[in-house]
């Protein structure tokens, strides 16, 4: 399958077969990495990582993936680029596209990464926007398949703020690959109906929206959650969000209600203890020692969050290679 020259901006742009190809390629790259087999197939090429939002996993995954493939990697930290300030997004795209063979963007607006993709002339990859997080989805699908051996028919549950970029992307990923997707959240935090309708138009499984934790998590194979307040949101929303989402915390009761072999996933970082500055601040203000997931669940054998985090590197490597191998 030839994906050379393609952007990777959202999974809605990719077919089931193309996603399957990227997952298979990810598995091959993981095997090579684990066996210590060199795979510097893109030696001589260069990529730039354009960040408006900070990150641990996304930055490290792109940097290691790029270097493993033999490329030069430039990281532009938040504030170090003039994009959108002294220089338009269109002009930035055309400048970077003349110097680099691929561009990663992590920031706020989906419109920004779409504009970069339109004007750069080289593959552009979405490392996260407020609307979608496609590279995370490949890692999630890979982790699920590694554990269960298949994807189609898996009962997948997302709990929490189901309007955010991760939940949006998970619904798309499940619909594309035939997983049954259930959103368990307060109705005010359900995904936009337009996206739900779009996903249902091509879904290979069921899409269910419910406020009931008991009904929504019954017989689930995968329980997935994310932080209750996303990066870039104002701290003033914490109080309201905690009131809304405390009943939707992933805890032992939720996992016991799920399927016997259910696994827990989280895109990280997670507030499951008091070992973070924000965790301590929330504890002082609201008396919470754990938020979206309890520490018992996070540290349990059911938790596959670090397999999931590692798989970011392998899947991102597959995306880079597949879209760049014949570009320029």
């Amino acid at each position: 399958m030839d994906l050379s020259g393609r952007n990777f901006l959202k999974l809605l742009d990719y077919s089931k077969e193309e996603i399957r190809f990227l997952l298979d390629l990810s598995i091959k790259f993981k095997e090579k990495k684990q066996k210590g087999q060199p795979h510097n197939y893109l030696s001589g090429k260069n990529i730039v990582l354009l960040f408006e939002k900070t990150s641990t996993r996304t930055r490290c995954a792109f940097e290691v993936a790029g270097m493993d493939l033999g490329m030069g990697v430039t990281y532009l930290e938040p504030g170090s680029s003039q994009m959108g300030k002294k220089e338009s997004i269109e002009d930035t795209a055309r400048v970077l596209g003349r110097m680099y063979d691929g561009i990663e963007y992590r920031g706020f607006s989906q419109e920004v990464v779409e504009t970069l993709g339109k004007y750069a002339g080289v593959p552009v990859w979405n490392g996260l926007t407020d609307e979608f997080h496609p590279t995370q989805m490949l890692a999630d699908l890979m982790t699920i398949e590694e554990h269960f051996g298949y994807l189609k028919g898996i009962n997948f549950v997302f709990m929490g703020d189901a309007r955010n970029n991760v939940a949006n992307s998970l619904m798309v990923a499940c619909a594309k690959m035939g997983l049954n997707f259930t959103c368990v959240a307060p109705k005010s935090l359900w995904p936009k109906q337009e996206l739900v309708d779009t996903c249902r138009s091509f879904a290979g499984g069921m899409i269910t929206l419910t406020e009931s934790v008991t009904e929504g998590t019954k017989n689930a194979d995968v329980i997935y959650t994310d932080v209750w307040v996303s990066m870039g949101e104002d701290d003033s929303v914490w109080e309201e969000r905690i009131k809304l989402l405390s009943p939707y915390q992933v805890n032992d009761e939720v996992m016991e209600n799920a399927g016997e072999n259910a696994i827990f996933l989280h895109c990280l970082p997670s507030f499951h203890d008091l070992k973070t500055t924000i965790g301590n601040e929330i504890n002082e203000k609201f008396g919470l020692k754990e938020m979206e997931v309890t520490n018992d669940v996070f540290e349990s054998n059911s938790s596959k969050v670090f397999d999931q985090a590692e798989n970011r590197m392998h899947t991102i490597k597959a995306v880079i290679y597949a879209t760049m191998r014949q570009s320029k």
Side-chain angles (χ1 to χ4, degrees), residues 77-78 87 149 151 158 170 199 237 263 325:
E77 64 185 359
E87 187 169 48
L151 291 174
F158 180 87
L170 286 167
C199 289
V237 306
I263 62 172
R325 56 182 173 174

Side-chain angles (χ1 to χ4, degrees), residues 17-216:
E17 292 74 23
E18 289 168 337
I19 296 170
R20 180 69 262 166
F21 171 76
L22 289 172
L23 290 172
D24 290 341
L25 189 57
S26 302
I27 293 167
K28 292 177 182 178
F29 274 128
K30 186 170 185 176
E31 291 174 353
K32 289 182 180 295
K33 182 75 171 177
Q34 290 177 337
K35 293 177 180 178
Q37 296 175 346
H39 43 281
N40 54 339
Y41 305 138
L42 298 178
S43 179
K45 293 184 180 293
N46 296 280
I47 62 173
V48 61
L49 313 182
L50 187 56
F51 275 55
E52 291 186 326
K53 283 186 178 182
T54 58
S55 169
T56 299
R57 278 149 299 280
T58 301
R59 176 183 175 179
C60 294
F62 267 99
E63 286 194 347
V64 175
M67 289 185 284
D68 280 355
L69 289 168
M71 297 189 293
V73 181
T74 300
Y75 171 69
L76 292 180
E77 64 185 359
S80 65
S81 166
Q82 296 298 335
M83 186 179 73
K85 301 168 189 172
K86 293 183 180 179
E87 187 169 48
S88 69
I89 298 161
E90 292 87 345
D91 290 355
T92 300
R94 287 179 285 193
V95 168
L96 294 178
R98 295 292 184 96
M99 297 182 181
Y100 293 95
D101 302 286
I103 301 169
E104 182 271 353
Y105 171 80
R106 178 183 171 92
F108 296 92
S109 171
Q110 180 71 17
E111 184 179 353
V112 170
V113 78
E114 298 279 352
T115 302
L116 288 171
K118 181 178 179 180
Y119 287 92
V122 297
V124 174
W125 313 295
N126 181 0
L128 174 143
T129 64
D130 289 343
E131 194 170 349
F132 294 110
H133 196 0
T135 59
Q136 178 67 53
M137 297 307 103
L138 291 181
D140 297 342
L141 291 170
M142 182 178 180
T143 306
I144 294 167
E145 189 168 62
E146 283 179 334
H147 184 78
F148 292 102
Y150 61 96
L151 291 174
K152 187 171 178 58
I154 288 288
N155 293 321
F156 183 101
V157 174
F158 180 87
M159 295 181 65
D161 183 356
R163 306 165 306 169
N164 73 12
N165 48 13
V166 171
N168 285 343
S169 299
L170 286 167
M171 183 167 59
V172 174
C174 289
K176 289 275 186 180
M177 303 309 291
L179 290 76
N180 299 312
F181 177 84
T182 299
C183 151
V184 179
K187 194 168 186 177
S188 61
L189 299 181
W190 286 1
K192 291 182 179 179
Q193 190 60 46
E194 181 182 0
L195 182 60
V196 174
D197 292 341
T198 297
C199 289
R200 282 177 171 159
S201 71
F202 59 74
M206 297 291 294
I207 295 178
T208 305
L209 311 178
T210 181
E211 293 185 285
S212 172
V213 173
T214 302
E215 293 177 10

